[in-house]
Amino acid sequence: MLAGLTAVVESLHECSDHIAKALERAQAVAAARRAGMPLAEIFGQQEGLTVLERMTAVLGALSDTGSTLRRAEARALYAEGLSMEKIARLFGVSRQRVSSLLHAPALDRASPPSDRRRGGLAFTDPEFRMMAEALPHIVWVAAPDGAVEFLNTQGADYFGAPREAAYDWDWVDLVHPDDAARARADWVEATRSGCPFEIDYRLRRADGTWRRHAARALPFRGPDGQVAKWVGTATDIEDYRMPGRG
């Protein structure tokens, strides 16, 4: 149990550092936009991890931490003599889930976070959904072929879409007609090449207003090196546009 708590502390320190640096970078980008700099020039001057990369690392670290702590709790209770049935009732999960917690191998904290997550994040886990809902951005997850499988509440509310829906490729319908062909082509190329996806385009808000967004997505690869999932964000940058630019 002590090892699990130690892992929590280490992970939260890691997350705190990422969040602080992500906030610093986001503020720098906003200040540069207010000064009239184009996004291409801003990102060309920036070094190190992007905001999306840092927040993705936070999501992964918290997911790892939640799993580590829950596994430690289950093993501690089992060592004290509680049956798997009683632990399942305490945790509000199935007996099979408790069994998997008791027998799952521990994460190697000495390995870099990127190595620990090479098997792909469990995108349906409560930890991921909790973080996706907490972020003040549109957050989405797509299959390797580019079909969107998950959209957080921020995105669903922004578009006026059903909370649980099969978005697939219908997201292109939310892009301004003048930007849609480029958005689709760039996304197809990203899913084909496995390279990060970066684009600015106009998205239709629920009230029918078109607002410019900066969209970014990163691929997560499985043990075989193939893309297992895409995690992306879309951030409203309409208020930071240069005067006179479309």
Side-chain angles (χ1 to χ4, degrees), residues 48 78 86 95 104 142 230:
Y78 192 69
K86 289 184 178 180
R95 185 184 183 282
W230 290 84

Side-chain angles (χ1 to χ4, degrees), residues 1 71-82 87 102:
M1 185 66 184
R71 183 169 51 250
E73 291 171 339
R75 290 176 177 176
L77 291 171
Y78 192 69
E80 290 181 359
L82 269 71
I87 298 173
L102 295 175

Side-chain angles (χ1 to χ4, degrees), residues 138 154-161 171 173-177 201-213 236-239:
I138 298 171
Q154 175 89 354
D157 290 347
Y158 189 91
F159 299 125
W171 65 269
D173 296 336
L174 302 169
V175 179
H176 193 283
Y201 48 34
R202 287 162 289 180
L203 294 175
R204 186 178 65 243
R205 200 166 58 187
D207 62 3
T209 302
W210 295 102
R211 293 181 63 85
R212 190 169 297 277
H213 284 68
D236 190 324
I237 59 171
E238 182 69 26
D239 296 334

Side-chain angles (χ1 to χ4, degrees), residues 12-222:
L12 291 179
H13 278 304
E14 177 185 346
C15 291
S16 177
D17 181 61
H18 276 304
I19 291 173
K21 291 179 179 178
L23 177 60
E24 179 182 342
R25 179 157 185 161
Q27 290 173 334
V29 171
R33 288 296 283 171
R34 285 193 294 269
M37 290 178 63
L39 281 173
E41 183 177 345
I42 294 172
F43 288 112
Q45 294 179 355
Q46 300 260 340
E47 297 181 354
L49 298 177
T50 65
V51 173
L52 174 59
E53 288 170 330
R54 289 195 180 281
M55 296 313 298
T56 300
V58 169
L59 292 175
L62 287 176
S63 180
D64 285 354
T65 299
S67 297
T68 297
L69 183 58
R70 180 49 59 94
R71 183 169 51 250
E73 291 171 339
R75 290 176 177 176
L77 291 171
Y78 192 69
E80 290 181 359
L82 269 71
S83 67
M84 285 193 284
E85 287 78 6
K86 289 184 178 180
I87 298 173
R89 287 198 294 271
L90 282 174
F91 287 179
V93 300
S94 67
R95 185 184 183 282
Q96 289 75 17
R97 174 59 176 159
V98 173
S99 178
S100 67
L101 289 170
L102 295 175
H103 298 97
L107 291 171
D108 180 7
R109 292 297 301 178
S111 301
S114 59
D115 289 343
R116 294 201 312 273
R117 291 192 291 273
R118 282 194 53 145
L121 290 175
F123 292 108
T124 58
D125 282 355
E127 292 92 350
F128 172 80
R129 289 182 179 270
M130 177 186 68
M131 286 300 300
E133 301 297 5
L135 291 175
H137 304 279
I138 298 171
V139 179
W140 44 272
V141 176
D145 65 358
V148 175
E149 300 177 332
F150 168 82
L151 182 68
N152 69 344
T153 300
Q154 175 89 354
D157 290 347
Y158 189 91
F159 299 125
R163 179 64 190 88
E164 296 293 340
Y167 296 98
D168 196 49
W169 277 84
D170 293 342
W171 65 269
V172 179
D173 296 336
L174 302 169
V175 179
H176 193 283
D178 292 344
D179 302 335
R182 176 172 56 91
R184 178 182 285 274
D186 286 1
W187 184 225
V188 168
E189 174 59 22
T191 57
R192 184 197 65 79
S193 65
C195 294
F197 173 73
E198 298 187 11
I199 190 174
D200 292 356
Y201 48 34
R202 287 162 289 180
L203 294 175
R204 186 178 65 243
R205 200 166 58 187
D207 62 3
T209 302
W210 295 102
R211 293 181 63 85
R212 190 169 297 277
H213 284 68
R216 305 289 184 267
L218 292 176
F220 280 81
R221 301 183 184 277

